[in-house]
Amino acid sequence: MPIIVNLDVVMAKRKISSGELAEKIGISQANLSILKTGKARAIRFSTLEAICRELDCQPGDILAYVSDKCEEEVLR
Amino acid sequence: MWNNRRSVLLSQFCVLLFSAVLLAVIIFAYSLVEWLISFSQAQLQGTEMYFFSTIYLGSLPAALLLYSLFRLLQRISARQMFLPENVDLLRRISWSCFAGSAVCFVSTLYYFPWLLVAVPAGFMGLIVRVVKNVVALGVELQHEADYTV
C-alpha cells in the first residue's frame, strides 16, 4: 500500500512504549500493533487526533505517501 | 420468549427434519417408485430404473446442501456470520441447487412433472447465489471494519 505509517519512528523519538501510548489514546495494544505494522485499512480521525495530541506531532509525521514506483525501487 | 437463538435452533431442527425425509426417500425409494407407477395414469411401466437414477443422483446434491446448511446454521448460532468459510458454504448450497435442478431437468425426458422440481430448484440456487454475493461483500466490509483503528 502506498501509505506508510511512521508511528514507530515518532514513538521512538518521543521515547514512549506501545502500552503507554495505547492507554493514553484509548485503543487496545492489538489495534496499535495493527497500525504500527501497516496492516490497518483505515484510521479514524479521532484516533489520529489522539495520537497527534499525545505525541505532539502532525498527521504528516505519522503518515506518508510513497508511490508504488518508489516503493519498488526501495525494495530493489 | 422468542429470540434469534431459538429461531436458529428451529432452522437447525428443520434441516434435520429434511435430512430424515431425504434418508427415508433413499431407503424407501423402491416402494415409492412402485407406488407412483401404479398410482399414475401415465404409462410409466419400465421406467423404474430411470426413477431410481434420478432419486439417487439427486440425493447427492441434496445431502451436500443439507450438510452445508447445517454447518452454516452452526456458524450463525456461534455469531460468526461474515466469514469467507460461510461464503464457500453458500456457494456450495447454490451449486447443489443447480446440480439438483440439472438432474431433475434431464429426468423430464422420461417424466415431464420433474420440471416442477427442476425450475424451483434452479431458481432457489439463483437466490442463494445472490445471498452469497451479499455475504461476500459483507466479509469485505467486516475485514475493513476489523482493520479500522
Side-chain angles (χ1 to χ4, degrees):
Chain A
M1 203 164 75
I3 298 291
I4 307 291
V5 181
N6 293 318
L7 186 60
D8 46 356
V9 177
V10 183
M11 280 171 66
K13 278 182 189 169
R14 301 288 187 275
K15 293 189 177 83
I16 187 168
S17 69
S18 294
E20 196 183 338
L21 182 65
E23 200 185 319
K24 280 182 175 173
I25 62 177
I27 64 169
S28 66
Q29 276 203 56
N31 275 348
L32 187 65
S33 172
I34 287 171
L35 188 59
K36 274 172 68 181
T37 52
K39 287 178 187 166
R41 299 282 295 265
I43 179 165
R44 289 188 189 92
F45 277 156
S46 56
T47 309
L48 191 59
E49 185 189 322
I51 291 170
C52 290
R53 186 187 64 231
E54 294 304 327
L55 296 179
D56 189 25
C57 64
Q58 292 298 312
D61 298 331
I62 297 162
L63 305 173
Y65 173 76
V66 179
S67 69
D68 286 333
K69 273 186 182 175
C70 292
E71 204 173 19
E72 278 170 22
E73 279 169 20
V74 169
L75 287 171
R76 261 185 234 153
Chain B
M1 190 75 177
W2 195 249
N3 55 32
N4 276 345
R5 200 178 66 83
R6 286 185 180 169
S7 177
V8 172
L9 276 174
L10 178 66
S11 303
Q12 281 178 319
F13 173 75
C14 290
V15 170
L16 289 175
L17 199 69
F18 272 97
S19 303
V21 170
L22 178 68
L23 199 66
V25 167
I26 292 168
I27 292 168
F28 300 108
Y30 184 82
S31 311
L32 276 171
V33 170
E34 286 293 307
W35 174 79
L36 179 76
I37 287 172
S38 63
F39 177 79
S40 175
Q41 299 288 316
Q43 298 298 313
L44 294 171
Q45 279 76 21
T47 58
E48 289 90 344
M49 286 311 292
Y50 297 133
F51 272 103
F52 292 140
S53 305
T54 303
I55 289 170
Y56 292 130
L57 271 176
S59 65
L60 292 173
L64 182 66
L65 184 151
L66 289 166
Y67 173 72
S68 304
L69 209 52
F70 194 77
R71 291 281 308 278
L72 183 68
L73 286 166
Q74 275 182 320
R75 289 229 173 87
I76 291 171
S77 67
R79 304 186 73 82
Q80 298 172 338
M81 187 56 224
F82 296 110
L83 297 174
E85 290 85 356
N86 288 354
V87 176
D88 287 340
L89 284 173
L90 283 166
R91 186 183 292 117
R92 244 185 260 174
I93 291 168
S94 167
W95 279 109
S96 299
C97 290
F98 287 135
S101 174
V103 169
C104 293
F105 194 74
V106 171
S107 303
T108 57
L109 291 171
Y110 70 88
Y111 188 60
F112 194 72
W114 278 118
L115 196 69
L116 295 173
V117 182
V119 173
F123 192 66
M124 201 165 76
L126 185 66
I127 291 170
V128 175
R129 198 164 171 77
V130 172
V131 172
K132 185 218 73 164
N133 291 338
V134 171
V135 173
L137 191 65
V139 170
E140 266 181 47
L141 292 173
Q142 181 75 59
H143 188 257
E144 197 113 335
D146 287 346
Y147 284 90
T148 295
V149 180

